[in-house]
Amino acid sequence: QQQVKQSPQSLIVQKGGISIINCAYENTAFDYFPWYQQFPGKGPALLIAIRPDVSEKKEGRFTISFNKSAKQFSLHIMDSQPGDSATYFCAASRTDSWGKLQFGAGTQVVVTP
Amino acid sequence: DTGVSQDPRHKITKRGQNVTFRCDPISEHNRLYWYRQTLGQGPEFLTYFQNEAQLEKSRLLSDRFSAERPKGSFSTLEIQRTEQGDSAMYLCASSLDRTSGMNNEQFFGPGTRLTVL
């Protein structure tokens, strides 16, 4: 049973465009929602994270939007660059569950020049 | 480099052989996690250590899998009698305990890619 559902599976965006990736969760006990970026042959690297007490968090060109009532959160990559081409994973964890992460299936983003 | 390191980076083995992977977490991190990632999927939780204590094991971790973290420092993951279905990337991550006031930011190592022939 996948606890975090991620879409789309892949997307292609032109340089300078906006990439949007969506995730939905069922478990209302989740209280930490990170996004990870992974390049081929590498481990995931934390990009940005949010807690449910805020609706939006921005770090540089990356923004998380969080909708607690809808149990959804999304990653927006502004001014997408070819170097952003990677696989992005959303995840969720619970404070009372040792912080183990439940990951989405991933979105492969390709930024064309 | 003060990040999480894993060794080996790649391992090819024949079905039925035993393999062991090592993870060295960030030195001050007391939490250590093992995940498994198959092609085209997100990482799946395998097991968790708080210092040297193994506090949780996923149902994915069959009795052929064993993990240790002696002295609360590095960790090893051993797979006995490997099967072709064990082929995957095995990822290690570490973090600081939330009770210290820090968030649950997990730092991942580069992974060990296992291929079982």
Side-chain angles (χ1 to χ4, degrees):
Chain A
Q1 180 186 1
Q2 192 172 27
Q3 296 197 41
V4 180
K5 295 184 179 180
Q6 183 171 347
S7 63
Q9 190 173 17
S10 63
L11 69 92
I12 300 173
V13 61
Q14 286 190 330
K15 179 182 175 180
I18 302 173
S19 303
I20 302 174
I21 306 169
N22 300 299
C23 283
Y25 64 97
E26 288 297 322
N27 191 339
T28 55
F30 286 142
D31 58 4
Y32 176 70
F33 302 89
W35 284 90
Y36 280 82
Q37 180 188 55
Q38 187 176 31
F39 293 103
K42 306 290 185 182
L46 180 65
L47 202 57
I48 186 172
I50 198 168
R51 296 198 178 276
D53 53 344
V54 297
S55 60
E56 186 176 282
K57 183 174 181 180
K58 182 177 180 179
E59 289 185 1
R61 296 184 294 107
F62 301 93
T63 299
I64 298 179
S65 297
F66 186 83
N67 187 329
K68 188 174 181 178
S69 60
K71 293 185 287 185
Q72 295 176 347
F73 58 110
S74 61
L75 176 70
H76 295 230
I77 306 174
M78 313 299 287
D79 186 26
S80 296
Q81 299 296 312
D84 296 332
S85 296
T87 300
Y88 293 82
F89 294 96
C90 61
S93 70
R94 296 166 44 177
T95 302
D96 61 353
S97 187
W98 317 116
K100 69 180 180 184
L101 293 168
Q102 303 283 348
F103 281 87
T107 297
Q108 185 174 18
V109 174
V110 174
V111 182
T112 60
Chain B
D1 188 348
T2 57
V4 178
S5 62
Q6 292 186 245
D7 183 71
R9 295 291 310 277
H10 303 274
K11 179 70 177 179
I12 300 175
T13 190
K14 293 183 178 180
R15 187 178 55 187
Q17 297 295 306
N18 300 342
V19 294
T20 300
F21 311 140
R22 176 180 171 122
C23 170
D24 286 271
I26 294 172
S27 59
E28 64 269 26
H29 285 183
N30 54 352
R31 291 187 159 191
L32 187 145
Y33 308 81
W34 284 98
Y35 293 85
R36 180 171 68 187
Q37 185 178 25
T38 53
L39 200 63
Q41 297 298 317
E44 296 174 293
F45 170 78
L46 291 179
T47 191
Y48 162 70
F49 288 86
Q50 175 94 5
N51 299 311
E52 68 276 7
Q54 187 175 21
L55 297 184
E56 186 170 352
K57 294 168 60 174
S58 163
R59 286 174 294 177
L60 292 174
L61 217 62
S62 75
D63 56 7
R64 296 185 296 105
F65 289 70
S66 63
E68 294 182 340
R69 192 183 181 194
K71 303 178 182 178
S73 56
F74 71 92
S75 175
T76 58
L77 178 67
E78 180 183 15
I79 308 174
Q80 296 183 326
R81 305 181 303 281
T82 53
E83 301 173 356
Q84 288 185 325
D86 298 331
S87 295
M89 174 80 87
Y90 290 84
L91 293 162
C92 175
S94 70
S95 72
L96 278 169
D97 192 325
R98 286 177 55 83
T99 58
S100 72
M102 303 295 289
N103 63 27
N104 187 43
E105 182 174 350
Q106 291 186 28
F107 295 84
F108 281 80
T112 294
R113 179 163 296 285
L114 173 67
T115 302
V116 181
L117 301 176

